[in-house]
Amino acid sequence: AVAEDIRQAATVNLSDIHHTNGLAESLTVTPTKANNSDGLSFSISTPLDYGWHLEFGRLNSPPQPWFTPAIDAADPAIQHRLRTWLDAAVKLKL
């Protein structure tokens, strides 16, 4: 749910940047299938290669952050989920 919130916030942030509809529409959320996956790992990605140019800028254009602010806005929810997961893990160990 938090990863989807980040994707939606990034989409809103991109709506403020000219000519980024394709990038916003291409954002996907995919669970990361790591060994012993805990359900907390997700990838938010795009097949388009210009997202990072917007985020960090280029020699001839300044940064227009759209992803970092989305993560920053989700920080309280991320911390809450991690705290809940850690509490449950500690209870299992007791």
Side-chain angles (χ1 to χ4, degrees), residues 44 72 74:
I44 302 170
D72 291 344

Side-chain angles (χ1 to χ4, degrees), residues 50-91:
Y50 65 92
W52 68 276
H53 290 288
L54 291 171
E55 184 75 20
F56 300 107
R58 298 186 305 190
L59 288 176
N60 59 350
S61 60
Q64 297 180 61
W66 56 274
F67 193 69
T68 303
I71 293 173
D72 291 344
D75 187 59
I78 293 168
Q79 288 186 32
H80 173 74
R81 289 204 181 251
L82 287 174
R83 193 174 301 112
T84 301
W85 179 81
L86 286 171
D87 287 345
V90 167
K91 287 178 184 176

Side-chain angles (χ1 to χ4, degrees), residues 10-94:
T11 298
V12 169
N13 294 343
L14 284 168
S15 70
D16 295 335
I17 302 172
H18 193 58
H19 296 300
T20 57
N21 287 342
L23 180 59
E25 291 172 4
S26 73
L27 295 175
T28 59
V29 174
T30 308
T32 303
K33 299 291 186 189
N35 291 338
N36 300 321
S37 180
D38 52 21
L40 292 175
S41 301
F42 289 85
S43 172
I44 302 170
S45 61
T46 176
L48 304 177
D49 63 356
Y50 65 92
W52 68 276
H53 290 288
L54 291 171
E55 184 75 20
F56 300 107
R58 298 186 305 190
L59 288 176
N60 59 350
S61 60
Q64 297 180 61
W66 56 274
F67 193 69
T68 303
I71 293 173
D72 291 344
D75 187 59
I78 293 168
Q79 288 186 32
H80 173 74
R81 289 204 181 251
L82 287 174
R83 193 174 301 112
T84 301
W85 179 81
L86 286 171
D87 287 345
V90 167
K91 287 178 184 176
L92 287 175
K93 297 284 183 183
L94 297 177

